[in-house]
Amino acid sequence: MEVSSLPISASHRAKLISAGYISISSLSSISPAHLARDLGISENEATGILKVASQRGGPERTIPSHHSIVDGAQTAWDMLHEEESCRRITTSCADLDDILGGGISCKEVTEIGGVPGIGKTQLGIQLAINVQIPLEYGGLAGKAVYIDTEGSFMVERVQQVAEACIKDMQEYDSFLRKDLPARQVNLQANDFLANIYYFRICSYTEQIAVINYLEKFISEHKDIKVVIVDSITFHFRQDFDDMALRTRLLGGMALKLMKLAKKFTLAVILLNQVTTKYSGGSFQLTLALGDSWSHACTNRIILYWNGNGRYAHIDKSPSIRSASAPYAVTGRGIRNLASNCKRVKLILRARLAHDEHICRSLI
């Protein structure tokens, strides 16, 4: 049970969340003096909060000895089967999809970081559109949640990418049905926009509150297949002097997002900024939020410049090897480099037709 459900004042709930007390169980071993110091309130107020929390959390902590704390175990065979059958969200860049094993995986948290202007938000928008591609076109027919902490989400750009996605589907359909009359894709750009749920976040307390709210929201909107946070970093770089508190809050958010990914079989995308780190006698660029945060995500993708070209590098993943691939940000969205476009389009069409023999001959 979460502290947001406690019958206490809204200001006290906000202070609890801001101080990193997300669940009622996190208050079980705290003294009134300690809580008063963390929240900046009187010890009497802290005692009252702990009393309410103990009343609400008491029955939940009483577990009969003959019942298991966990619901059950899963065999490694079941896990392998789930992983093999797990759907992926295409990035619209075949080279990038190839190194990702087919696209961004559901049931996992993927961090994507890079310098300003490298295309992080563009990739986030592309995934929010591509998750909606219908099943008959190789998509997930899902919806997206977009949590914007920086104000970089541009609805005009989303509409542009959606229109390009519809044109792509029409091209693929024409290829598959080349001996049959062409048919129209029964989707409009506005249909894509209507399936993206947008949250604008202006502080780290709002960010924590929205992530705590997501489980309820997704339960009520069953088709959500991707959650994008753009960026996870912004407010946690601006508002913090207490690094221990920041680490605790970020850890709590990471656990929440991992749970959401597993429970609802969806992809969680966390966009991250870069910072400098002193190493080996010089300053180097690295993803923000420190070393402890680097363990919070299943996969980590670093976007970088190589000359005038954009590249994506898989820096960490338990299931796919480290590799790099070029990509481009175009008027149509994320795409392959122009020199590869013709070959890639043929490969994508063949894959959509599920013809592995054709794919091998083209590569």
Side-chain angles (χ1 to χ4, degrees), residues 6 24 26 57 71 100 166 198-199 225 238 311 327 345:
L6 289 177
I24 292 177
S26 65
D71 294 330
L100 290 170
I166 292 170
Y198 175 79
F199 294 87
K225 291 299 177 184
Q238 305 290 328
Y311 281 76
Y327 69 97
K345 187 173 286 188

Side-chain angles (χ1 to χ4, degrees), residues 91-92 122 125-126 129-130 157-172 328-335 341 345:
T91 63
S92 289
Q122 298 296 321
I125 289 172
Q126 188 73 63
I129 293 296
N130 288 356
R157 178 58 171 161
V158 179
Q159 185 175 29
Q160 190 178 32
V161 174
E163 290 169 350
C165 182
I166 292 170
K167 290 178 182 177
D168 286 346
M169 287 190 288
Q170 289 173 337
E171 288 180 14
Y172 297 152
V329 178
T330 73
R332 294 167 67 93
I334 302 296
R335 293 292 187 273
C341 280
K345 187 173 286 188

Side-chain angles (χ1 to χ4, degrees), residues 25-317:
S25 60
S26 65
L27 298 170
S28 60
S29 59
I30 299 295
S31 69
H34 190 160
L35 186 63
R37 185 172 62 252
D38 282 354
L39 272 56
I41 60 177
S42 70
E43 196 165 324
N44 286 338
E45 289 176 302
T47 301
I49 291 173
L50 292 174
K51 182 177 180 181
V52 172
S54 66
Q55 292 170 348
R56 283 296 183 100
E60 196 173 83
R61 293 195 298 269
T62 304
I63 303 174
S65 59
H66 59 280
H67 282 92
S68 173
I69 295 175
V70 294
D71 294 330
Q74 186 180 29
T75 68
W77 173 257
D78 291 336
M79 293 171 65
L80 178 63
H81 177 71
E82 280 186 11
E83 185 173 322
E84 290 176 343
S85 61
C86 190
R87 304 295 298 273
R88 293 178 180 267
I89 308 169
T90 177
T91 63
S92 289
C93 172
D95 287 342
L96 184 50
D97 282 350
D98 280 345
I99 66 171
L100 290 170
I104 299 293
S105 179
C106 292
K107 298 189 77 173
E108 293 180 353
V109 177
T110 299
E111 179 187 23
I112 302 174
V115 298
I118 195 66
K120 300 185 296 294
T121 296
Q122 298 296 321
L123 183 53
I125 289 172
Q126 188 73 63
L127 293 170
I129 293 296
N130 288 356
V131 75
Q132 302 180 51
I133 296 173
L135 296 172
E136 59 267 30
Y137 293 95
L140 275 67
K143 298 180 181 180
V145 168
Y146 203 103
I147 300 173
D148 182 8
T149 67
E150 300 185 22
S152 54
F153 184 88
M154 297 177 293
V155 70
E156 296 84 1
R157 178 58 171 161
V158 179
Q159 185 175 29
Q160 190 178 32
V161 174
E163 290 169 350
C165 182
I166 292 170
K167 290 178 182 177
D168 286 346
M169 287 190 288
Q170 289 173 337
E171 288 180 14
Y172 297 152
D173 188 69
S174 298
F175 174 81
L176 293 178
R177 296 166 54 86
K178 55 187 175 183
D179 297 327
L180 299 171
R183 63 179 180 180
Q184 288 293 317
V185 177
N186 295 321
L187 286 171
Q188 302 294 325
N190 290 346
D191 297 326
F192 284 87
L193 270 64
N195 288 330
I196 299 175
Y197 299 103
Y198 175 79
F199 294 87
R200 178 69 173 100
I201 303 301
C202 298
S203 69
Y204 78 88
T205 52
E206 284 187 16
Q207 185 171 332
I208 293 169
V210 167
I211 288 174
N212 287 336
Y213 171 63
L214 278 180
E215 184 169 4
K216 180 178 185 295
F217 185 83
I218 295 171
S219 297
E220 296 169 352
H221 301 79
K222 298 292 187 182
D223 294 331
I224 291 173
K225 291 299 177 184
V226 66
V227 173
I228 301 159
V229 184
D230 180 13
S231 67
I232 193 71
T233 325
F234 185 72
H235 295 300
F236 286 89
R237 296 183 77 178
Q238 305 290 328
D239 304 333
F240 274 91
D241 296 320
D242 187 342
M243 292 295 104
L245 173 60
R246 188 183 80 161
T247 299
R248 186 168 65 186
L249 291 174
L250 286 168
M253 277 202 306
L255 290 173
K256 285 271 185 184
L257 292 168
M258 289 177 186
K259 179 182 175 183
L260 288 175
K262 294 286 186 183
K263 181 176 180 178
F264 296 103
T265 315
L266 54 81
V268 174
I269 311 297
L270 306 180
L271 305 184
N272 196 355
Q273 301 172 350
V274 296
T275 187
T276 53
K277 179 181 180 180
Y278 189 78
S279 177
S282 63
F283 287 97
Q284 300 176 357
L285 284 177
T286 185
L287 296 193
L289 300 181
D291 292 335
S292 61
W293 174 256
S294 66
H295 303 292
C297 304
T298 314
N299 309 298
R300 171 176 267 199
I301 302 169
I302 298 177
L303 309 181
Y304 65 96
W305 291 100
N306 185 358
N308 292 325
R310 292 178 168 91
Y311 281 76
H313 175 71
I314 299 175
D315 184 60
K316 168 199 162 187
S317 175

